[in-house]
Amino acid sequence: KNEVEQSPQNLTAQEGEFITINCSYSVGISALHWLQQHPGGGIVSLFMLSSGKKKHGRLIATINIQEKHSSLHITASHPRDSAVYICAVSPGSARQLTFGSGTQLTVLP
Amino acid sequence: KAGVTQTPRYLIKTRGQQVTLSCSPISGHRSVSWYQQTPGQGLQFLFEYFSETQRNKGNFPGRFSGRQFSNSRSEMNVSTLELGDSALYLCASSPNRDSLYFGAGTRLSVL
């Protein structure tokens, strides 16, 4: 069993829909990251969470440490949100990350 | 401020050769970390450096090595290349514990 599980693996939505991507992990962590990767490979760090909830624009990330679960929400989705979203956890050092396999999101106009 | 710069962007090598990849962090960032991304294994942690010291190393063979210089620039080296080393190698720099900035990556093909 992978230490970090993401669901769904693939997600297709219509523009404007509310999107949720889930991440479950099995190890104790000091932090959880949500990353966005566009075609071509570039990765952008969206959030780093150790507790609670963070919001940036149309993106919201939550974490429940007791349940070892995090969610990434996108409100009013747009075709430019199409990308792979990756959950990663830090069991110790903030940069020694264990990654999920990613969720491919496609938002159709 | 310039972002994280990785050179070269693309590289083709043959089995048995060695390769050196370079990463220049954002000015002022003292932490540099490296990651490998392959279709089969996904993203995996390689190394983490802070102020010229290796803090952590991932589960990779000794053929993978790295270093960080006094100006925070970092290099990673892979010796005796294997076909399975073909991957996107990503570098990230951090100013603190809460932020991570990735470079565009070096795509290595081993023939």
Side-chain angles (χ1 to χ4, degrees):
Chain A
K1 188 179 188 296
N2 291 334
E3 291 181 343
V4 182
E5 299 274 359
Q6 282 186 240
S7 63
Q9 284 191 306
N10 294 283
L11 181 56
T12 299
Q14 290 295 135
E15 184 173 355
E17 286 185 2
F18 180 84
I19 287 161
T20 296
I21 299 170
N22 296 299
C23 175
S24 296
Y25 53 92
S26 57
V27 297
I29 66 168
S30 59
L32 181 144
H33 298 254
W34 280 103
L35 310 172
Q36 180 193 56
Q37 185 170 33
H38 281 281
I43 291 180
V44 174
S45 175
L46 299 174
F47 296 103
M48 195 282 289
L49 295 160
S50 53
S51 64
K53 177 179 175 177
K54 286 189 176 179
K55 183 175 189 291
H56 181 70
R58 296 180 295 107
L59 303 178
I60 303 166
T62 64
I63 187 168
N64 185 317
I65 296 293
Q66 287 73 29
E67 294 186 3
K68 292 186 166 64
H69 182 268
S70 176
S71 293
L72 176 68
H73 305 286
I74 304 175
T75 62
S77 59
H78 189 276
R80 66 175 173 265
D81 297 325
S82 298
V84 176
Y85 292 82
I86 302 166
C87 171
V89 300
S90 311
S93 159
R95 267 78 61 186
Q96 188 171 4
L97 301 176
T98 300
F99 297 88
S101 56
T103 295
Q104 173 70 63
L105 171 65
T106 303
V107 181
L108 303 174
Chain B
K1 230 181 197 182
V4 179
T5 303
Q6 291 190 245
T7 56
R9 290 293 314 279
Y10 302 92
L11 203 49
I12 299 174
K13 292 286 187 178
T14 55
R15 277 182 299 173
Q17 287 187 312
Q18 75 164 19
V19 67
T20 299
L21 312 182
S22 179
C23 173
S24 293
I26 293 171
S27 177
H29 292 193
R30 293 161 64 190
S31 171
V32 173
S33 47
W34 289 89
Y35 306 92
Q36 181 199 61
Q37 186 175 34
T38 60
Q41 299 295 320
L43 276 159
Q44 298 183 89
F45 168 77
L46 277 160
F47 322 99
E48 177 190 0
Y49 289 91
F50 184 83
S51 292
E52 301 180 67
T53 301
Q54 186 180 92
R55 281 190 158 179
N56 292 289
K57 184 176 179 182
N59 189 23
F60 280 82
R63 301 185 296 106
F64 290 80
S65 63
R67 58 180 175 169
Q68 187 181 31
F69 301 96
S70 58
N71 62 358
S72 293
R73 189 177 73 85
S74 178
E75 289 181 347
M76 66 163 283
N77 184 278
V78 187
S79 63
T80 320
L81 284 165
E82 300 177 0
L83 295 179
D85 298 332
S86 294
L88 179 67
Y89 290 88
L90 291 154
C91 163
S93 74
S94 305
N96 53 45
R97 197 181 170 280
D98 297 338
S99 307
L100 204 55
Y101 297 86
F102 285 84
T106 294
R107 192 167 294 278
L108 171 65
S109 297
V110 182
L111 306 178

